[in-house]
Amino acid sequence: DIQVTQSPSTLSASVGDRVTITCRASQGVDSWLAWFQQKPGKAPKLLIYKASNLESGVPSRFSGSGSGTEFTLTISSLQPDDFAIYYCQHYSAYSPWTFGQGTKVET
Amino acid sequence: QVQLQESGPGLLKPSETLSLTCTVSGDPLSDYHWSWIRQPPGQGLEWIGQIHDSGSSNYNPSLKSRVTISVDTSRKKFSLKLNSVTAADTAVYFCAAYRGGWSGVGPWGQGTLVTVSS
């Protein structure tokens, strides 16, 4: 099975900072990679799909890049609402999904 | 716009069967994959499995022997059964919609906490 590993597990940042989170897949997954944001007590919210496509309604300060085994989520200028936990996810229609272990962005 | 809502018992005893239902409103169920994901308290997300409206399904290999996901398109519901539960199955359970292909997974239900305790 394909595993995805995120780094770092915790990230300390300030409002206005550029933030980058990395996700590595144990084998090539093409662009079958998504990013989610989760806040306490809430369901995850889709930010990026197909590695680099911004979900409708998500601010343009979020961006994704990569393909194959290495992917990144970038927040160009961290806003107060962005302090949360971020997960990457390998997905596809007919094979098992896996989630990264999460990256907590804190002040 | 699809909206999802989980329902089911919040407290189970060890060895019982967890049964949850996700009710779908909005778009018709066709051409969607319907998924269950769980999150133990304070931990990360774990995918349980998914089913297409055609009935085709796949499951997390680590849970496959205990899981059944089914869909009732006429009643706009899909369900999760997980048998022989233990305390390790205590989690918030989310249902989610996936349109297939490159599109991402969403929307999600709000989640429902299931606690397994004697």
Side-chain angles (χ1 to χ4, degrees):
Chain A
D1 296 341
I2 295 172
Q3 306 300 318
V4 290
T5 304
Q6 279 180 247
S7 61
S9 55
T10 306
L11 188 158
S12 296
S14 301
V15 172
D17 284 353
R18 182 181 182 88
V19 167
T20 299
I21 300 168
T22 297
C23 183
R24 289 186 173 85
S26 59
Q27 58 186 274
V29 297
D30 194 356
S31 294
W32 294 99
L33 198 286
W35 292 95
F36 292 86
Q37 177 194 68
Q38 188 179 32
K39 295 184 178 179
K42 300 293 187 182
K45 173 187 174 183
L46 179 66
L47 301 175
I48 302 285
Y49 64 94
K50 197 187 175 184
S52 61
N53 287 259
L54 193 68
E55 175 70 353
S56 176
V58 174
S60 59
R61 62 180 179 273
F62 291 92
S63 64
S65 65
S67 68
T69 61
E70 188 150 339
F71 303 85
T72 58
L73 172 70
T74 300
I75 309 172
S76 60
S77 177
L78 194 69
Q79 298 302 300
D81 191 49
D82 301 338
F83 291 98
I85 299 176
Y86 294 84
Y87 293 94
C88 62
Q89 179 211 21
H90 164 60
Y91 69 101
S92 76
Y94 300 103
S95 61
W97 302 354
T98 50
F99 289 91
Q101 70 270 41
T103 295
K104 183 177 183 180
V105 176
E106 61 182 20
T107 184
Chain B
Q1 175 70 2
V2 171
Q3 293 184 311
L4 297 92
Q5 177 68 57
E6 305 89 349
S7 60
L11 181 62
L12 294 172
K13 290 182 167 50
S15 80
E16 292 184 334
T17 295
L18 180 157
S19 294
L20 296 175
T21 296
C22 185
T23 301
V24 182
S25 58
D27 287 354
L29 266 65
S30 60
D31 294 330
Y32 278 90
H33 300 252
W34 304 102
S35 303
W36 289 96
I37 299 106
R38 70 181 183 178
Q39 186 170 38
Q43 298 185 39
L45 300 164
E46 180 179 34
W47 176 71
I48 299 170
Q50 64 174 328
I51 189 165
H52 186 256
D53 67 282
S54 67
S56 171
S57 60
N58 62 320
Y59 300 120
N60 186 324
S62 68
L63 297 170
K64 187 174 182 178
S65 63
R66 298 195 291 134
V67 172
T68 302
I69 297 175
S70 58
V71 61
D72 184 341
T73 54
S74 63
R75 296 179 61 206
K76 301 187 80 172
K77 296 176 187 288
F78 64 104
S79 300
L80 168 69
K81 289 191 187 300
L82 178 68
N83 57 37
S84 304
V85 297
T86 70
D89 295 310
T90 294
V92 174
Y93 286 75
F94 297 99
C95 59
Y98 167 49
R99 297 208 69 161
W102 292 111
S103 65
V105 178
W108 295 50
Q110 64 185 24
T112 186
L113 175 63
V114 177
T115 301
V116 180
S117 175
S118 55

Tab-separated table of all heavy atoms in Angstrom, chain A residues 35-59:
chain	number	residue	atom	x	y	z
A	35	TRP	N	-4.881	18.225	-0.447
A	35	TRP	CA	-4.560	18.853	0.835
A	35	TRP	C	-5.843	19.327	1.510
A	35	TRP	O	-6.735	19.887	0.858
A	35	TRP	CB	-3.640	20.060	0.622
A	35	TRP	CG	-2.258	19.717	0.158
A	35	TRP	CD1	-1.798	19.690	-1.129
A	35	TRP	CD2	-1.150	19.368	0.991
A	35	TRP	NE1	-0.472	19.340	-1.148
A	35	TRP	CE2	-0.050	19.132	0.144
A	35	TRP	CE3	-0.957	19.230	2.374
A	35	TRP	CZ2	1.226	18.779	0.620
A	35	TRP	CZ3	0.292	18.874	2.851
A	35	TRP	CH2	1.358	18.661	1.981
A	36	PHE	N	-5.903	19.122	2.834
A	36	PHE	CA	-7.041	19.527	3.644
A	36	PHE	C	-6.573	20.400	4.805
A	36	PHE	O	-5.455	20.258	5.291
A	36	PHE	CB	-7.759	18.306	4.231
A	36	PHE	CG	-8.448	17.456	3.220
A	36	PHE	CD1	-7.764	16.451	2.547
A	36	PHE	CD2	-9.786	17.653	2.923
A	36	PHE	CE1	-8.400	15.658	1.606
A	36	PHE	CE2	-10.438	16.870	1.983
A	36	PHE	CZ	-9.732	15.872	1.326
A	37	GLN	N	-7.485	21.250	5.260
A	37	GLN	CA	-7.305	22.025	6.481
A	37	GLN	C	-8.363	21.562	7.480
A	37	GLN	O	-9.526	21.406	7.115
A	37	GLN	CB	-7.506	23.518	6.179
A	37	GLN	CG	-7.424	24.429	7.395
A	37	GLN	CD	-7.967	25.826	7.073
A	37	GLN	OE1	-9.151	26.022	6.837
A	37	GLN	NE2	-7.083	26.810	7.037
A	38	GLN	N	-7.952	21.358	8.725
A	38	GLN	CA	-8.919	20.984	9.749
A	38	GLN	C	-8.753	21.855	10.992
A	38	GLN	O	-7.641	22.035	11.494
A	38	GLN	CB	-8.796	19.506	10.144
A	38	GLN	CG	-9.925	19.043	11.064
A	38	GLN	CD	-9.842	17.588	11.435
A	38	GLN	OE1	-8.763	17.018	11.542
A	38	GLN	NE2	-11.000	16.962	11.636
A	39	LYS	N	-9.868	22.362	11.457
A	39	LYS	CA	-9.901	23.131	12.700
A	39	LYS	C	-10.602	22.309	13.774
A	39	LYS	O	-11.370	21.397	13.455
A	39	LYS	CB	-10.600	24.465	12.460
A	39	LYS	CG	-9.817	25.354	11.494
A	39	LYS	CD	-10.452	26.703	11.320
A	39	LYS	CE	-9.586	27.545	10.385
A	39	LYS	NZ	-10.169	28.886	10.162
A	40	PRO	N	-10.339	22.607	15.057
A	40	PRO	CA	-10.891	21.785	16.150
A	40	PRO	C	-12.404	21.622	16.076
A	40	PRO	O	-13.145	22.592	15.903
A	40	PRO	CB	-10.472	22.567	17.400
A	40	PRO	CG	-9.238	23.293	16.995
A	40	PRO	CD	-9.459	23.682	15.560
A	41	GLY	N	-12.845	20.378	16.191
A	41	GLY	CA	-14.270	20.082	16.199
A	41	GLY	C	-14.955	20.155	14.859
A	41	GLY	O	-16.190	20.046	14.792
A	42	LYS	N	-14.175	20.333	13.799
A	42	LYS	CA	-14.760	20.481	12.457
A	42	LYS	C	-14.275	19.384	11.524
A	42	LYS	O	-13.241	18.760	11.757
A	42	LYS	CB	-14.376	21.840	11.856
A	42	LYS	CG	-14.853	23.031	12.661
A	42	LYS	CD	-16.362	23.140	12.655
A	42	LYS	CE	-16.811	24.436	13.313
A	42	LYS	NZ	-18.292	24.533	13.356
A	43	ALA	N	-15.033	19.174	10.453
A	43	ALA	CA	-14.601	18.255	9.415
A	43	ALA	C	-13.470	18.887	8.611
A	43	ALA	O	-13.372	20.113	8.504
A	43	ALA	CB	-15.768	17.915	8.494
A	44	PRO	N	-12.607	18.077	8.034
A	44	PRO	CA	-11.584	18.613	7.136
A	44	PRO	C	-12.214	19.356	5.968
A	44	PRO	O	-13.290	19.000	5.495
A	44	PRO	CB	-10.846	17.361	6.655
A	44	PRO	CG	-11.076	16.349	7.741
A	44	PRO	CD	-12.465	16.625	8.223
A	45	LYS	N	-11.497	20.371	5.515
A	45	LYS	CA	-11.940	21.193	4.387
A	45	LYS	C	-10.951	21.023	3.243
A	45	LYS	O	-9.738	21.202	3.419
A	45	LYS	CB	-12.004	22.661	4.804
A	45	LYS	CG	-12.294	23.636	3.680
A	45	LYS	CD	-12.155	25.070	4.169
A	45	LYS	CE	-12.296	26.067	3.033
A	45	LYS	NZ	-12.084	27.468	3.487
A	46	LEU	N	-11.442	20.670	2.064
A	46	LEU	CA	-10.580	20.478	0.897
A	46	LEU	C	-10.015	21.815	0.436
A	46	LEU	O	-10.755	22.763	0.206
A	46	LEU	CB	-11.383	19.832	-0.228
A	46	LEU	CG	-10.655	19.585	-1.544
A	46	LEU	CD1	-9.542	18.555	-1.374
A	46	LEU	CD2	-11.642	19.122	-2.613
A	47	LEU	N	-8.697	21.871	0.301
A	47	LEU	CA	-8.023	23.074	-0.195
A	47	LEU	C	-7.519	22.888	-1.630
A	47	LEU	O	-7.712	23.761	-2.477
A	47	LEU	CB	-6.807	23.399	0.685
A	47	LEU	CG	-7.030	23.660	2.162
A	47	LEU	CD1	-5.685	23.841	2.849
A	47	LEU	CD2	-7.913	24.875	2.364
A	48	ILE	N	-6.842	21.798	-1.867
A	48	ILE	CA	-6.153	21.530	-3.127
A	48	ILE	C	-6.472	20.108	-3.563
A	48	ILE	O	-6.465	19.193	-2.736
A	48	ILE	CB	-4.617	21.654	-2.957
A	48	ILE	CG1	-4.210	23.030	-2.447
A	48	ILE	CG2	-3.897	21.284	-4.253
A	48	ILE	CD1	-4.287	24.134	-3.472
A	49	TYR	N	-6.745	19.895	-4.852
A	49	TYR	CA	-6.900	18.549	-5.407
A	49	TYR	C	-6.044	18.428	-6.664
A	49	TYR	O	-5.602	19.439	-7.224
A	49	TYR	CB	-8.377	18.244	-5.696
A	49	TYR	CG	-8.997	19.123	-6.762
A	49	TYR	CD1	-9.046	18.721	-8.090
A	49	TYR	CD2	-9.524	20.370	-6.432
A	49	TYR	CE1	-9.592	19.536	-9.065
A	49	TYR	CE2	-10.071	21.197	-7.395
A	49	TYR	CZ	-10.110	20.767	-8.712
A	49	TYR	OH	-10.644	21.581	-9.679
A	50	LYS	N	-5.788	17.202	-7.077
A	50	LYS	CA	-4.922	16.942	-8.227
A	50	LYS	C	-3.604	17.695	-8.070
A	50	LYS	O	-3.121	18.311	-9.022
A	50	LYS	CB	-5.616	17.307	-9.538
A	50	LYS	CG	-4.957	16.704	-10.766
A	50	LYS	CD	-5.599	17.236	-12.051
A	50	LYS	CE	-4.861	16.740	-13.289
A	50	LYS	NZ	-5.405	17.326	-14.521
A	51	ALA	N	-3.089	17.670	-6.858
A	51	ALA	CA	-1.781	18.202	-6.471
A	51	ALA	C	-1.681	19.725	-6.485
A	51	ALA	O	-1.020	20.308	-5.618
A	51	ALA	CB	-0.679	17.615	-7.354
A	52	SER	N	-2.318	20.384	-7.450
A	52	SER	CA	-2.093	21.820	-7.591
A	52	SER	C	-3.336	22.623	-7.929
A	52	SER	O	-3.241	23.820	-8.180
A	52	SER	CB	-1.035	22.073	-8.675
A	52	SER	OG	-1.473	21.563	-9.915
A	53	ASN	N	-4.502	21.971	-7.948
A	53	ASN	CA	-5.734	22.668	-8.307
A	53	ASN	C	-6.417	23.229	-7.061
A	53	ASN	O	-6.718	22.475	-6.126
A	53	ASN	CB	-6.678	21.738	-9.050
A	53	ASN	CG	-6.214	21.444	-10.456
A	53	ASN	OD1	-6.707	22.008	-11.410
A	53	ASN	ND2	-5.227	20.564	-10.582
A	54	LEU	N	-6.693	24.526	-7.075
A	54	LEU	CA	-7.313	25.185	-5.939
A	54	LEU	C	-8.814	24.916	-5.940
A	54	LEU	O	-9.496	25.183	-6.945
A	54	LEU	CB	-7.037	26.686	-6.013
A	54	LEU	CG	-7.335	27.523	-4.767
A	54	LEU	CD1	-6.373	27.178	-3.642
A	54	LEU	CD2	-7.237	29.011	-5.106
A	55	GLU	N	-9.320	24.386	-4.829
A	55	GLU	CA	-10.757	24.156	-4.710
A	55	GLU	C	-11.494	25.496	-4.745
A	55	GLU	O	-11.000	26.517	-4.254
A	55	GLU	CB	-11.065	23.425	-3.405
A	55	GLU	CG	-12.534	23.206	-3.080
A	55	GLU	CD	-13.225	22.188	-3.981
A	55	GLU	OE1	-12.614	21.722	-4.963
A	55	GLU	OE2	-14.400	21.866	-3.690
A	56	SER	N	-12.680	25.489	-5.336
A	56	SER	CA	-13.483	26.700	-5.424
A	56	SER	C	-13.720	27.312	-4.046
A	56	SER	O	-14.049	26.609	-3.091
A	56	SER	CB	-14.836	26.368	-6.077
A	56	SER	OG	-15.667	27.490	-6.097
A	57	GLY	N	-13.517	28.625	-3.951
A	57	GLY	CA	-13.766	29.336	-2.698
A	57	GLY	C	-12.576	29.403	-1.762
A	57	GLY	O	-12.618	30.118	-0.756
A	58	VAL	N	-11.500	28.689	-2.079
A	58	VAL	CA	-10.301	28.703	-1.220
A	58	VAL	C	-9.425	29.895	-1.611
A	58	VAL	O	-9.190	30.124	-2.803
A	58	VAL	CB	-9.522	27.381	-1.368
A	58	VAL	CG1	-8.209	27.433	-0.604
A	58	VAL	CG2	-10.379	26.214	-0.877
A	59	PRO	N	-8.953	30.656	-0.626
A	59	PRO	CA	-8.138	31.845	-0.947
A	59	PRO	C	-6.906	31.511	-1.763
A	59	PRO	O	-6.295	30.443	-1.588
A	59	PRO	CB	-7.754	32.382	0.434
A	59	PRO	CG	-8.809	31.879	1.355
A	59	PRO	CD	-9.210	30.539	0.814
